[in-house]
Structure formats: C-alpha cells, structure tokens
Amino acid sequence: MAAEQNHDSAACKRVDDGITQVFQLLGKRWSGPIVAVLVEQPAYFTDLRRAIPGISERMLSDRLAELGAAGLVLREVDEGPPLRVSYRLTDAGAALEPALRALAEWAKSHLPQSSGCPGTSLERPVVHR
C-alpha cells in the first residue's frame, strides 16, 4: 500500500530560487530605476539623483552599495579635481538590459498608465558628464 500523503501536492511547489533572488535585490524600492539609468551609460552620483526623482541621497547610497555587493554596479572614484564618484554596471548588471526592456514593455501593455515622472522608464536619461 502506498504511503499516505499528509500534505497537498501544491505545497511541494516552490518559487524558483533565481526569481526569489532577483526580486529580493531588484524588488527593493529604487534598485530597478538605478539599474535602468545605468543601463544607458555610467553616471555620477549627482546625475543619478537627478534622474530618479524622489530618491534621497542616503537611499541612493545604500542601494548603490547593495547593488555593488551583489556584483551589478562598480563604483569608480575620479580623483579630479574635483573628486567625483561615478557608477557603471558590471557585465552582470548590463546583462539585465533585455529583461528590463521586456518588463518596461509589459508594463506599458498591461498596467494602468500612471502619472509618473518622465524618465522613469527605460528612456535615455539626461546625464551630464
């Protein structure tokens, strides 16, 4: 006789570990927009602040550190003068571009239009270098 199952077979299904990891990192507020800006080109800290309306300096700094620790963003110090810090995507970060573009297209087709700020999609941001 077969052993009795004490649980629903659906309980055995799990969310893919990769999806869980991606959303734990990019699902945090501001992480996706930061990567989306950097997909287009490297940017200085102040340019990232301007390109992402509403983000505080502290939050931007924290998210950049997290994305750096995850291997998606590189921090580079330009000795200057003046001393400036720029950020760019690693190869792993740049590899997110097709997925981000697909998500942006999906949002345009399937989510209600919001009155969001211009430049929050994957449009080319204005970055001063």
Side-chain angles (χ1 to χ4, degrees):
M1 182 175 215
E4 265 187 58
Q5 291 186 354
N6 293 328
H7 63 275
D8 185 331
S9 63
C12 290
K13 292 183 180 179
R14 296 182 45 202
V15 174
D16 178 77
D17 288 339
I19 293 294
T20 299
Q21 287 180 296
V22 165
F23 281 99
Q24 283 175 343
L25 180 63
L26 295 180
K28 288 185 177 180
R29 188 170 187 194
W30 307 114
S31 295
I34 291 168
V35 173
V37 170
L38 294 175
V39 157
E40 299 299 334
Q41 62 190 7
Y44 290 112
F45 187 90
T46 55
D47 293 326
L48 283 167
R49 275 275 329 269
R50 282 188 213 113
I52 305 169
I55 193 169
S56 69
E57 284 188 20
R58 172 66 186 250
M59 185 58 66
L60 178 56
S61 181
D62 289 351
R63 290 296 181 258
L64 286 167
E66 290 172 4
L67 293 167
L72 300 180
V73 172
L74 285 177
R75 179 181 188 269
E76 297 174 325
V77 178
D78 301 334
E79 294 298 329
L83 181 107
R84 293 182 69 175
V85 178
S86 64
Y87 296 87
R88 68 177 175 84
L89 293 179
T90 63
D91 289 343
L96 287 167
E97 182 176 8
L100 290 174
R101 290 202 184 280
L103 285 170
E105 287 301 315
W106 177 87
K108 287 177 190 171
S109 298
H110 300 286
L111 295 179
Q113 295 297 321
S114 70
S115 59
C117 298
T120 55
S121 67
L122 287 180
E123 298 170 2
R124 181 171 293 279
V126 176
V127 178
H128 305 282
R129 299 278 312 184

PDB file of all heavy atoms in Angstrom, residues 72-105:
ATOM      1  N   LEU A  72      26.601  43.934  -9.380  1.00  0.00           N
ATOM      2  CA  LEU A  72      25.929  44.537 -10.535  1.00  0.00           C
ATOM      3  C   LEU A  72      26.454  45.928 -10.876  1.00  0.00           C
ATOM      4  O   LEU A  72      26.341  46.358 -12.026  1.00  0.00           O
ATOM      5  CB  LEU A  72      24.420  44.628 -10.282  1.00  0.00           C
ATOM      6  CG  LEU A  72      23.699  43.314 -10.033  1.00  0.00           C
ATOM      7  CD1 LEU A  72      22.221  43.563  -9.787  1.00  0.00           C
ATOM      8  CD2 LEU A  72      23.905  42.348 -11.176  1.00  0.00           C
ATOM      9  N   VAL A  73      27.004  46.632  -9.903  1.00  0.00           N
ATOM     10  CA  VAL A  73      27.431  48.015 -10.097  1.00  0.00           C
ATOM     11  C   VAL A  73      28.859  48.190  -9.595  1.00  0.00           C
ATOM     12  O   VAL A  73      29.234  47.646  -8.554  1.00  0.00           O
ATOM     13  CB  VAL A  73      26.489  48.992  -9.330  1.00  0.00           C
ATOM     14  CG1 VAL A  73      27.014  50.409  -9.361  1.00  0.00           C
ATOM     15  CG2 VAL A  73      25.086  48.940  -9.913  1.00  0.00           C
ATOM     16  N   LEU A  74      29.643  48.952 -10.351  1.00  0.00           N
ATOM     17  CA  LEU A  74      31.002  49.316  -9.941  1.00  0.00           C
ATOM     18  C   LEU A  74      31.039  50.788  -9.572  1.00  0.00           C
ATOM     19  O   LEU A  74      30.484  51.625 -10.289  1.00  0.00           O
ATOM     20  CB  LEU A  74      31.996  49.071 -11.067  1.00  0.00           C
ATOM     21  CG  LEU A  74      32.385  47.630 -11.347  1.00  0.00           C
ATOM     22  CD1 LEU A  74      33.327  47.564 -12.538  1.00  0.00           C
ATOM     23  CD2 LEU A  74      33.042  47.011 -10.128  1.00  0.00           C
ATOM     24  N   ARG A  75      31.707  51.095  -8.491  1.00  0.00           N
ATOM     25  CA  ARG A  75      31.914  52.470  -8.030  1.00  0.00           C
ATOM     26  C   ARG A  75      33.326  52.871  -8.429  1.00  0.00           C
ATOM     27  O   ARG A  75      34.285  52.168  -8.124  1.00  0.00           O
ATOM     28  CB  ARG A  75      31.765  52.517  -6.514  1.00  0.00           C
ATOM     29  CG  ARG A  75      31.977  53.865  -5.897  1.00  0.00           C
ATOM     30  CD  ARG A  75      31.821  53.732  -4.371  1.00  0.00           C
ATOM     31  NE  ARG A  75      31.824  55.011  -3.724  1.00  0.00           N
ATOM     32  CZ  ARG A  75      32.915  55.614  -3.256  1.00  0.00           C
ATOM     33  NH1 ARG A  75      34.098  55.037  -3.359  1.00  0.00           N
ATOM     34  NH2 ARG A  75      32.821  56.801  -2.676  1.00  0.00           N
ATOM     35  N   GLU A  76      33.451  53.992  -9.117  1.00  0.00           N
ATOM     36  CA  GLU A  76      34.767  54.456  -9.561  1.00  0.00           C
ATOM     37  C   GLU A  76      34.979  55.894  -9.102  1.00  0.00           C
ATOM     38  O   GLU A  76      34.117  56.749  -9.288  1.00  0.00           O
ATOM     39  CB  GLU A  76      34.870  54.376 -11.081  1.00  0.00           C
ATOM     40  CG  GLU A  76      34.748  52.939 -11.583  1.00  0.00           C
ATOM     41  CD  GLU A  76      34.698  52.844 -13.085  1.00  0.00           C
ATOM     42  OE1 GLU A  76      34.116  53.747 -13.739  1.00  0.00           O
ATOM     43  OE2 GLU A  76      35.236  51.857 -13.615  1.00  0.00           O
ATOM     44  N   VAL A  77      36.130  56.138  -8.482  1.00  0.00           N
ATOM     45  CA  VAL A  77      36.452  57.474  -7.992  1.00  0.00           C
ATOM     46  C   VAL A  77      37.318  58.170  -9.024  1.00  0.00           C
ATOM     47  O   VAL A  77      38.369  57.662  -9.409  1.00  0.00           O
ATOM     48  CB  VAL A  77      37.170  57.408  -6.632  1.00  0.00           C
ATOM     49  CG1 VAL A  77      37.557  58.802  -6.153  1.00  0.00           C
ATOM     50  CG2 VAL A  77      36.308  56.697  -5.602  1.00  0.00           C
ATOM     51  N   ASP A  78      36.845  59.326  -9.489  1.00  0.00           N
ATOM     52  CA  ASP A  78      37.621  60.173 -10.396  1.00  0.00           C
ATOM     53  C   ASP A  78      38.342  61.168  -9.503  1.00  0.00           C
ATOM     54  O   ASP A  78      37.713  62.023  -8.871  1.00  0.00           O
ATOM     55  CB  ASP A  78      36.698  60.914 -11.378  1.00  0.00           C
ATOM     56  CG  ASP A  78      35.868  59.950 -12.224  1.00  0.00           C
ATOM     57  OD1 ASP A  78      36.312  58.807 -12.426  1.00  0.00           O
ATOM     58  OD2 ASP A  78      34.775  60.350 -12.654  1.00  0.00           O
ATOM     59  N   GLU A  79      39.668  61.059  -9.442  1.00  0.00           N
ATOM     60  CA  GLU A  79      40.450  61.840  -8.494  1.00  0.00           C
ATOM     61  C   GLU A  79      40.299  63.347  -8.667  1.00  0.00           C
ATOM     62  O   GLU A  79      40.501  64.105  -7.758  1.00  0.00           O
ATOM     63  CB  GLU A  79      41.925  61.441  -8.571  1.00  0.00           C
ATOM     64  CG  GLU A  79      42.174  60.009  -8.111  1.00  0.00           C
ATOM     65  CD  GLU A  79      41.792  59.759  -6.657  1.00  0.00           C
ATOM     66  OE1 GLU A  79      41.887  60.688  -5.831  1.00  0.00           O
ATOM     67  OE2 GLU A  79      41.381  58.638  -6.346  1.00  0.00           O
ATOM     68  N   GLY A  80      39.970  63.771  -9.873  1.00  0.00           N
ATOM     69  CA  GLY A  80      39.720  65.200 -10.087  1.00  0.00           C
ATOM     70  C   GLY A  80      40.988  66.019 -10.120  1.00  0.00           C
ATOM     71  O   GLY A  80      42.010  65.511 -10.529  1.00  0.00           O
ATOM     72  N   PRO A  81      41.036  67.245  -9.722  1.00  0.00           N
ATOM     73  CA  PRO A  81      39.957  67.894  -9.003  1.00  0.00           C
ATOM     74  C   PRO A  81      38.820  68.280  -9.926  1.00  0.00           C
ATOM     75  O   PRO A  81      39.069  68.516 -11.092  1.00  0.00           O
ATOM     76  CB  PRO A  81      40.618  69.121  -8.382  1.00  0.00           C
ATOM     77  CG  PRO A  81      41.813  69.405  -9.242  1.00  0.00           C
ATOM     78  CD  PRO A  81      42.192  68.123  -9.885  1.00  0.00           C
ATOM     79  N   PRO A  82      37.619  68.372  -9.429  1.00  0.00           N
ATOM     80  CA  PRO A  82      37.204  67.926  -8.101  1.00  0.00           C
ATOM     81  C   PRO A  82      37.048  66.411  -8.069  1.00  0.00           C
ATOM     82  O   PRO A  82      36.836  65.780  -9.105  1.00  0.00           O
ATOM     83  CB  PRO A  82      35.847  68.609  -7.921  1.00  0.00           C
ATOM     84  CG  PRO A  82      35.287  68.687  -9.299  1.00  0.00           C
ATOM     85  CD  PRO A  82      36.482  68.922 -10.197  1.00  0.00           C
ATOM     86  N   LEU A  83      37.109  65.854  -6.877  1.00  0.00           N
ATOM     87  CA  LEU A  83      36.908  64.423  -6.690  1.00  0.00           C
ATOM     88  C   LEU A  83      35.439  64.115  -6.973  1.00  0.00           C
ATOM     89  O   LEU A  83      34.556  64.772  -6.439  1.00  0.00           O
ATOM     90  CB  LEU A  83      37.236  64.054  -5.237  1.00  0.00           C
ATOM     91  CG  LEU A  83      37.079  62.581  -4.937  1.00  0.00           C
ATOM     92  CD1 LEU A  83      38.452  61.969  -4.785  1.00  0.00           C
ATOM     93  CD2 LEU A  83      36.256  62.375  -3.708  1.00  0.00           C
ATOM     94  N   ARG A  84      35.201  63.158  -7.851  1.00  0.00           N
ATOM     95  CA  ARG A  84      33.816  62.769  -8.198  1.00  0.00           C
ATOM     96  C   ARG A  84      33.724  61.253  -8.229  1.00  0.00           C
ATOM     97  O   ARG A  84      34.680  60.578  -8.574  1.00  0.00           O
ATOM     98  CB  ARG A  84      33.422  63.337  -9.564  1.00  0.00           C
ATOM     99  CG  ARG A  84      33.336  64.866  -9.537  1.00  0.00           C
ATOM    100  CD  ARG A  84      32.899  65.423 -10.838  1.00  0.00           C
ATOM    101  NE  ARG A  84      31.494  65.075 -11.078  1.00  0.00           N
ATOM    102  CZ  ARG A  84      30.803  65.519 -12.112  1.00  0.00           C
ATOM    103  NH1 ARG A  84      31.363  66.295 -13.006  1.00  0.00           N
ATOM    104  NH2 ARG A  84      29.553  65.178 -12.278  1.00  0.00           N
ATOM    105  N   VAL A  85      32.563  60.757  -7.898  1.00  0.00           N
ATOM    106  CA  VAL A  85      32.330  59.316  -7.887  1.00  0.00           C
ATOM    107  C   VAL A  85      31.322  58.987  -8.989  1.00  0.00           C
ATOM    108  O   VAL A  85      30.266  59.601  -9.080  1.00  0.00           O
ATOM    109  CB  VAL A  85      31.802  58.843  -6.518  1.00  0.00           C
ATOM    110  CG1 VAL A  85      31.528  57.349  -6.539  1.00  0.00           C
ATOM    111  CG2 VAL A  85      32.802  59.185  -5.424  1.00  0.00           C
ATOM    112  N   SER A  86      31.694  58.027  -9.825  1.00  0.00           N
ATOM    113  CA  SER A  86      30.781  57.591 -10.872  1.00  0.00           C
ATOM    114  C   SER A  86      30.457  56.113 -10.668  1.00  0.00           C
ATOM    115  O   SER A  86      31.164  55.398  -9.960  1.00  0.00           O
ATOM    116  CB  SER A  86      31.382  57.822 -12.260  1.00  0.00           C
ATOM    117  OG  SER A  86      32.542  57.040 -12.433  1.00  0.00           O
ATOM    118  N   TYR A  87      29.372  55.698 -11.301  1.00  0.00           N
ATOM    119  CA  TYR A  87      28.907  54.321 -11.179  1.00  0.00           C
ATOM    120  C   TYR A  87      28.622  53.789 -12.566  1.00  0.00           C
ATOM    121  O   TYR A  87      28.149  54.515 -13.438  1.00  0.00           O
ATOM    122  CB  TYR A  87      27.633  54.270 -10.321  1.00  0.00           C
ATOM    123  CG  TYR A  87      27.890  54.714  -8.914  1.00  0.00           C
ATOM    124  CD1 TYR A  87      27.823  56.060  -8.568  1.00  0.00           C
ATOM    125  CD2 TYR A  87      28.252  53.797  -7.940  1.00  0.00           C
ATOM    126  CE1 TYR A  87      28.094  56.484  -7.278  1.00  0.00           C
ATOM    127  CE2 TYR A  87      28.521  54.209  -6.648  1.00  0.00           C
ATOM    128  CZ  TYR A  87      28.443  55.554  -6.326  1.00  0.00           C
ATOM    129  OH  TYR A  87      28.722  55.963  -5.051  1.00  0.00           O
ATOM    130  N   ARG A  88      28.930  52.510 -12.747  1.00  0.00           N
ATOM    131  CA  ARG A  88      28.614  51.851 -14.009  1.00  0.00           C
ATOM    132  C   ARG A  88      28.252  50.405 -13.709  1.00  0.00           C
ATOM    133  O   ARG A  88      28.599  49.867 -12.662  1.00  0.00           O
ATOM    134  CB  ARG A  88      29.760  51.936 -14.995  1.00  0.00           C
ATOM    135  CG  ARG A  88      30.989  51.160 -14.619  1.00  0.00           C
ATOM    136  CD  ARG A  88      32.054  51.249 -15.731  1.00  0.00           C
ATOM    137  NE  ARG A  88      33.276  50.593 -15.331  1.00  0.00           N
ATOM    138  CZ  ARG A  88      33.509  49.288 -15.447  1.00  0.00           C
ATOM    139  NH1 ARG A  88      32.586  48.504 -15.974  1.00  0.00           N
ATOM    140  NH2 ARG A  88      34.648  48.776 -15.057  1.00  0.00           N
ATOM    141  N   LEU A  89      27.535  49.811 -14.644  1.00  0.00           N
ATOM    142  CA  LEU A  89      27.150  48.414 -14.476  1.00  0.00           C
ATOM    143  C   LEU A  89      28.322  47.497 -14.805  1.00  0.00           C
ATOM    144  O   LEU A  89      29.119  47.777 -15.696  1.00  0.00           O
ATOM    145  CB  LEU A  89      25.973  48.070 -15.387  1.00  0.00           C
ATOM    146  CG  LEU A  89      24.648  48.753 -15.074  1.00  0.00           C
ATOM    147  CD1 LEU A  89      23.589  48.318 -16.079  1.00  0.00           C
ATOM    148  CD2 LEU A  89      24.187  48.469 -13.652  1.00  0.00           C
ATOM    149  N   THR A  90      28.402  46.402 -14.093  1.00  0.00           N
ATOM    150  CA  THR A  90      29.325  45.337 -14.444  1.00  0.00           C
ATOM    151  C   THR A  90      28.722  44.589 -15.631  1.00  0.00           C
ATOM    152  O   THR A  90      27.593  44.877 -16.058  1.00  0.00           O
ATOM    153  CB  THR A  90      29.481  44.353 -13.267  1.00  0.00           C
ATOM    154  OG1 THR A  90      28.205  43.755 -13.015  1.00  0.00           O
ATOM    155  CG2 THR A  90      30.007  45.050 -12.016  1.00  0.00           C
ATOM    156  N   ASP A  91      29.429  43.618 -16.155  1.00  0.00           N
ATOM    157  CA  ASP A  91      28.867  42.795 -17.229  1.00  0.00           C
ATOM    158  C   ASP A  91      27.575  42.110 -16.761  1.00  0.00           C
ATOM    159  O   ASP A  91      26.608  42.015 -17.515  1.00  0.00           O
ATOM    160  CB  ASP A  91      29.875  41.745 -17.702  1.00  0.00           C
ATOM    161  CG  ASP A  91      31.025  42.357 -18.485  1.00  0.00           C
ATOM    162  OD1 ASP A  91      30.904  43.516 -18.946  1.00  0.00           O
ATOM    163  OD2 ASP A  91      32.056  41.674 -18.636  1.00  0.00           O
ATOM    164  N   ALA A  92      27.572  41.663 -15.491  1.00  0.00           N
ATOM    165  CA  ALA A  92      26.372  41.012 -14.950  1.00  0.00           C
ATOM    166  C   ALA A  92      25.211  42.008 -14.887  1.00  0.00           C
ATOM    167  O   ALA A  92      24.069  41.667 -15.211  1.00  0.00           O
ATOM    168  CB  ALA A  92      26.654  40.439 -13.563  1.00  0.00           C
ATOM    169  N   GLY A  93      25.483  43.230 -14.482  1.00  0.00           N
ATOM    170  CA  GLY A  93      24.441  44.254 -14.428  1.00  0.00           C
ATOM    171  C   GLY A  93      23.933  44.614 -15.806  1.00  0.00           C
ATOM    172  O   GLY A  93      22.723  44.747 -16.027  1.00  0.00           O
ATOM    173  N   ALA A  94      24.855  44.762 -16.760  1.00  0.00           N
ATOM    174  CA  ALA A  94      24.474  45.107 -18.131  1.00  0.00           C
ATOM    175  C   ALA A  94      23.638  44.001 -18.773  1.00  0.00           C
ATOM    176  O   ALA A  94      22.792  44.270 -19.628  1.00  0.00           O
ATOM    177  CB  ALA A  94      25.719  45.394 -18.967  1.00  0.00           C
ATOM    178  N   ALA A  95      23.840  42.766 -18.326  1.00  0.00           N
ATOM    179  CA  ALA A  95      23.078  41.639 -18.878  1.00  0.00           C
ATOM    180  C   ALA A  95      21.599  41.699 -18.499  1.00  0.00           C
ATOM    181  O   ALA A  95      20.782  40.977 -19.067  1.00  0.00           O
ATOM    182  CB  ALA A  95      23.686  40.314 -18.410  1.00  0.00           C
ATOM    183  N   LEU A  96      21.244  42.587 -17.575  1.00  0.00           N
ATOM    184  CA  LEU A  96      19.828  42.767 -17.194  1.00  0.00           C
ATOM    185  C   LEU A  96      19.044  43.577 -18.218  1.00  0.00           C
ATOM    186  O   LEU A  96      17.811  43.602 -18.172  1.00  0.00           O
ATOM    187  CB  LEU A  96      19.727  43.474 -15.840  1.00  0.00           C
ATOM    188  CG  LEU A  96      20.090  42.645 -14.630  1.00  0.00           C
ATOM    189  CD1 LEU A  96      20.267  43.549 -13.412  1.00  0.00           C
ATOM    190  CD2 LEU A  96      19.017  41.604 -14.374  1.00  0.00           C
ATOM    191  N   GLU A  97      19.723  44.251 -19.139  1.00  0.00           N
ATOM    192  CA  GLU A  97      19.043  45.146 -20.072  1.00  0.00           C
ATOM    193  C   GLU A  97      17.877  44.488 -20.815  1.00  0.00           C
ATOM    194  O   GLU A  97      16.773  45.050 -20.824  1.00  0.00           O
ATOM    195  CB  GLU A  97      20.016  45.766 -21.064  1.00  0.00           C
ATOM    196  CG  GLU A  97      19.327  46.731 -22.011  1.00  0.00           C
ATOM    197  CD  GLU A  97      20.275  47.443 -22.951  1.00  0.00           C
ATOM    198  OE1 GLU A  97      21.467  47.109 -22.993  1.00  0.00           O
ATOM    199  OE2 GLU A  97      19.799  48.347 -23.658  1.00  0.00           O
ATOM    200  N   PRO A  98      18.046  43.330 -21.435  1.00  0.00           N
ATOM    201  CA  PRO A  98      16.896  42.747 -22.145  1.00  0.00           C
ATOM    202  C   PRO A  98      15.702  42.471 -21.224  1.00  0.00           C
ATOM    203  O   PRO A  98      14.551  42.707 -21.601  1.00  0.00           O
ATOM    204  CB  PRO A  98      17.444  41.439 -22.733  1.00  0.00           C
ATOM    205  CG  PRO A  98      18.924  41.603 -22.754  1.00  0.00           C
ATOM    206  CD  PRO A  98      19.262  42.517 -21.614  1.00  0.00           C
ATOM    207  N   ALA A  99      15.965  42.008 -20.019  1.00  0.00           N
ATOM    208  CA  ALA A  99      14.872  41.732 -19.079  1.00  0.00           C
ATOM    209  C   ALA A  99      14.184  43.027 -18.662  1.00  0.00           C
ATOM    210  O   ALA A  99      12.956  43.083 -18.579  1.00  0.00           O
ATOM    211  CB  ALA A  99      15.409  40.993 -17.855  1.00  0.00           C
ATOM    212  N   LEU A 100      14.952  44.083 -18.412  1.00  0.00           N
ATOM    213  CA  LEU A 100      14.363  45.367 -18.026  1.00  0.00           C
ATOM    214  C   LEU A 100      13.526  45.950 -19.156  1.00  0.00           C
ATOM    215  O   LEU A 100      12.438  46.484 -18.925  1.00  0.00           O
ATOM    216  CB  LEU A 100      15.451  46.354 -17.606  1.00  0.00           C
ATOM    217  CG  LEU A 100      16.152  46.044 -16.285  1.00  0.00           C
ATOM    218  CD1 LEU A 100      17.300  47.020 -16.055  1.00  0.00           C
ATOM    219  CD2 LEU A 100      15.178  46.064 -15.119  1.00  0.00           C
ATOM    220  N   ARG A 101      14.032  45.851 -20.373  1.00  0.00           N
ATOM    221  CA  ARG A 101      13.255  46.362 -21.516  1.00  0.00           C
ATOM    222  C   ARG A 101      11.962  45.565 -21.683  1.00  0.00           C
ATOM    223  O   ARG A 101      10.904  46.135 -21.956  1.00  0.00           O
ATOM    224  CB  ARG A 101      14.093  46.335 -22.784  1.00  0.00           C
ATOM    225  CG  ARG A 101      15.205  47.365 -22.750  1.00  0.00           C
ATOM    226  CD  ARG A 101      15.700  47.735 -24.128  1.00  0.00           C
ATOM    227  NE  ARG A 101      16.823  48.642 -24.029  1.00  0.00           N
ATOM    228  CZ  ARG A 101      16.721  49.950 -23.797  1.00  0.00           C
ATOM    229  NH1 ARG A 101      15.545  50.499 -23.657  1.00  0.00           N
ATOM    230  NH2 ARG A 101      17.798  50.709 -23.716  1.00  0.00           N
ATOM    231  N   ALA A 102      12.041  44.252 -21.511  1.00  0.00           N
ATOM    232  CA  ALA A 102      10.837  43.414 -21.620  1.00  0.00           C
ATOM    233  C   ALA A 102       9.835  43.772 -20.523  1.00  0.00           C
ATOM    234  O   ALA A 102       8.631  43.853 -20.788  1.00  0.00           O
ATOM    235  CB  ALA A 102      11.210  41.934 -21.547  1.00  0.00           C
ATOM    236  N   LEU A 103      10.307  44.011 -19.318  1.00  0.00           N
ATOM    237  CA  LEU A 103       9.407  44.406 -18.234  1.00  0.00           C
ATOM    238  C   LEU A 103       8.784  45.772 -18.503  1.00  0.00           C
ATOM    239  O   LEU A 103       7.592  45.978 -18.236  1.00  0.00           O
ATOM    240  CB  LEU A 103      10.153  44.438 -16.897  1.00  0.00           C
ATOM    241  CG  LEU A 103      10.467  43.070 -16.290  1.00  0.00           C
ATOM    242  CD1 LEU A 103      11.421  43.227 -15.108  1.00  0.00           C
ATOM    243  CD2 LEU A 103       9.192  42.363 -15.867  1.00  0.00           C
ATOM    244  N   ALA A 104       9.552  46.699 -19.059  1.00  0.00           N
ATOM    245  CA  ALA A 104       9.017  48.023 -19.391  1.00  0.00           C
ATOM    246  C   ALA A 104       7.916  47.903 -20.450  1.00  0.00           C
ATOM    247  O   ALA A 104       6.865  48.544 -20.343  1.00  0.00           O
ATOM    248  CB  ALA A 104      10.131  48.951 -19.875  1.00  0.00           C
ATOM    249  N   GLU A 105       8.133  47.073 -21.453  1.00  0.00           N
ATOM    250  CA  GLU A 105       7.117  46.863 -22.491  1.00  0.00           C
ATOM    251  C   GLU A 105       5.875  46.197 -21.906  1.00  0.00           C
ATOM    252  O   GLU A 105       4.756  46.561 -22.230  1.00  0.00           O
ATOM    253  CB  GLU A 105       7.687  46.028 -23.645  1.00  0.00           C
ATOM    254  CG  GLU A 105       8.655  46.791 -24.519  1.00  0.00           C
ATOM    255  CD  GLU A 105       8.027  48.028 -25.147  1.00  0.00           C
ATOM    256  OE1 GLU A 105       6.889  47.956 -25.657  1.00  0.00           O
ATOM    257  OE2 GLU A 105       8.684  49.092 -25.116  1.00  0.00           O
TER     258      GLU A 105
END
